[in-house]
Amino acid sequence: MIYNIADFLGEIASNNEILTITQTLESGLDKYKFLRIENGSKHIDNSYAELLKLNDFIRIETPGPYKLHKGYPSPRSLYPIEMFICVNENQFVLKDNYKDQYKYYSNISIKAEQGDILLEFNNKYPEHYNHIKKTLLILECGHFLYNINKVGLMLGYKYEVITIDKYRIHLKSQKVETDINKTKKITEFSRRSYLRNSGHYRHPLTPLNNNTKVVLNNYEKDFHDIERLFKNNDISEKIQIQTYLNRGNGEFLEVGSKQNNYINYRNLNMIYPYINFKGVNTFSFLLIKNRTFTTENATKYLLSLGYIAQSICMYHADYHVFCRPIKSFSFFEVEKLLKIDKDNYTPFYFLINAPK
């Protein structure tokens, strides 16, 4: 799942409807040889079982066409990611996403050590996603990385992404001190994962109560975690987060800006017409520097966008609100509306936070 300049230029061309360029994905799942199935987790390390549960389906939502949900979002609930943990040399365990069953595999093509995590994928995107399917997969992996990293630290594991190739992401595991409050923290993380919600498709939003208090996230810790994950200290320099707060009646103002340039919800409705922005609490655009894509493999920067997006989703996880990540919007229209420096930045990802 290597993302490079060709993918970026192709995505811009497709976004501007100049031409449609198909992104390519090549799954490595056929390299795994099935060994056995074990029911129940009594034969597996408790920490591994807890980590593998992060890829379970945890909620069924009705009404709506996309009913099954995990602790992180996936376009149309496709969920193509498979999570393997190395149990010994060349042997890996995969949990069934629906039940307490564990499947063991061997893969002699991978050099991994006990505790390492491999994120593989099924290429099951429908045709209408051909122009952005690699982008969607990488962003989704970034969302999932957030969950793995947070729970891993609670369990006493620190991870480093050591390999990103066309087949997979390889996380190196290192044992560290277990959080003394791990049980309480994991329970709370599981609760928020369950509450995380992208909202019903084309769901009419409740108008914002002007007395609603919105507390905004701080991303300093997220960038610190990301730069440790990738052993790279320039990621915070390549990504910019612009958050806008509804000041009442659908008039939005950028948080922290000295300019009083209000954006009316009607203009936002034209960018993403599936909801009424008059009822949105906040929205955030994740911008990325254009020169980021001159590197041979820019995947870690897209993973970082997904990681930050998941932080936003989890921060707003609640019974009464939803947080929806959005990839399908016009770069050009957003650049024009938000007066983005398009020569240096591209609005790459978009999240809205609103009452249910």
Side-chain angles (χ1 to χ4, degrees):
M1 55 181 84
I2 296 174
Y3 191 98
N4 55 30
I5 185 66
D7 294 305
F8 180 58
L9 294 175
E11 191 169 339
I12 290 176
S14 299
N15 189 272
N16 290 325
E17 299 181 344
I18 299 171
L19 73 164
T20 300
I21 298 176
T22 298
Q23 293 185 342
T24 59
L25 286 172
E26 188 175 349
S27 173
L29 285 174
D30 60 352
K31 305 289 194 302
Y32 288 83
K33 180 182 177 182
F34 176 75
L35 299 175
R36 66 186 187 279
I37 289 179
E38 289 184 359
N39 292 311
S41 57
K42 62 182 179 180
H43 298 296
I44 188 171
D45 183 281
N46 290 337
S47 294
Y48 295 173
E50 195 69 51
L51 286 162
L52 289 166
K53 278 166 54 180
L54 292 174
N55 209 26
D56 280 358
F57 287 104
I58 58 175
R59 194 177 76 251
I60 299 175
E61 184 121 346
T62 57
Y66 315 117
K67 295 180 172 60
L68 294 174
H69 299 274
K70 298 186 179 184
Y72 59 94
S74 181
R76 306 201 177 194
S77 293
L78 290 171
Y79 290 109
I81 301 170
E82 298 286 4
M83 176 184 180
F84 292 83
I85 295 181
C86 180
V87 291
N88 55 53
E89 187 178 2
N90 302 131
Q91 288 199 13
F92 305 87
V93 61
L94 169 75
K95 185 182 182 299
D96 188 286
N97 295 163
Y98 298 92
K99 54 190 175 183
D100 195 26
Q101 186 179 82
Y102 299 83
K103 301 175 183 179
Y104 289 80
Y105 296 84
S106 65
N107 191 332
I108 60 173
S109 68
I110 299 174
K111 292 182 179 180
E113 296 180 2
Q114 186 173 344
D116 287 6
I117 291 176
L118 301 173
L119 299 185
E120 305 276 356
F121 64 91
N122 287 299
N123 184 9
K124 56 181 180 181
Y125 288 93
E127 189 174 345
H128 60 263
Y129 281 146
N130 277 349
H131 64 295
I132 55 168
K133 61 184 180 180
K134 184 189 293 186
T135 306
L136 293 175
L137 174 63
I138 296 170
L139 289 171
E140 185 172 330
C141 283
H143 279 266
F144 192 25
L145 270 176
Y146 176 92
N147 290 5
I148 292 170
N149 185 58
K150 291 296 183 183
V151 174
L153 287 171
M154 296 172 197
L155 293 167
Y157 292 98
K158 185 170 69 173
Y159 295 102
E160 177 189 347
V161 177
I162 60 171
T163 304
I164 301 173
D165 59 28
K166 65 179 180 179
Y167 297 121
R168 65 186 60 87
I169 298 169
H170 184 164
L171 284 76
K172 178 76 173 174
S173 169
Q174 179 185 342
K175 200 75 177 74
V176 294
E177 187 175 351
T178 303
D179 193 313
I180 58 172
N181 296 313
K182 71 173 184 178
T183 302
K184 180 180 179 181
K185 288 185 176 181
I186 290 173
T187 300
E188 173 60 14
F189 191 91
S190 299
R191 185 187 75 85
R192 296 188 72 82
S193 294
Y194 180 83
L195 293 176
R196 182 214 61 79
N197 194 301
S198 297
H200 291 299
Y201 188 61
R202 302 192 180 190
H203 181 66
L205 300 184
T206 305
L208 177 69
N209 181 335
N210 289 344
N211 295 321
T212 300
K213 182 179 179 182
V214 178
V215 181
L216 300 175
N217 200 358
N218 185 316
Y219 304 104
E220 186 176 341
K221 179 67 164 60
D222 293 329
F223 279 117
H224 177 269
D225 289 347
I226 290 167
E227 291 178 346
R228 177 183 53 76
L229 267 172
F230 295 107
K231 294 294 182 186
N232 190 307
N233 59 10
D234 76 337
I235 291 175
S236 59
E237 300 170 6
K238 302 288 180 66
I239 293 172
Q240 189 178 107
I241 305 164
Q242 291 187 4
T243 297
Y244 292 78
L245 177 65
N246 192 339
R247 307 302 295 186
N249 297 317
E251 295 287 335
F252 290 83
L253 193 63
E254 184 181 358
V255 175
S257 174
K258 297 179 181 179
Q259 306 295 323
N260 288 327
N261 296 325
Y262 283 90
I263 298 175
N264 186 271
Y265 74 94
R266 293 183 180 88
N267 295 323
L268 294 162
N269 289 350
M270 294 177 68
I271 290 174
Y272 188 74
Y274 305 111
I275 61 169
N276 182 1
F277 273 81
K278 189 174 183 179
V280 168
N281 294 335
T282 65
F283 67 87
S284 298
F285 272 97
L286 307 188
L287 280 58
I288 190 164
K289 279 189 176 179
N290 296 334
R291 69 169 183 265
T292 300
F293 300 105
T294 58
T295 183
E296 185 178 340
N297 186 349
T299 310
K300 62 185 174 185
Y301 299 102
L302 270 64
L303 289 168
S304 301
L305 291 175
Y307 190 102
I308 293 167
Q310 181 68 3
S311 176
I312 296 172
C313 289
M314 293 293 281
Y315 187 81
H316 291 295
D318 194 273
Y319 285 105
H320 307 296
V321 299
F322 71 80
C323 185
R324 179 183 301 175
I326 300 165
K327 187 67 184 86
S328 296
F329 58 88
S330 167
F331 293 166
F332 174 75
E333 293 299 330
V334 170
E335 289 165 351
K336 185 169 63 174
L337 180 61
L338 303 188
K339 298 179 173 60
I340 291 170
D341 177 11
K342 63 182 180 181
D343 291 333
N344 290 305
Y345 284 94
T346 294
F348 206 84
Y349 209 21
F350 175 31
L351 296 100
I352 59 172
N353 162 241
K356 289 182 183 177

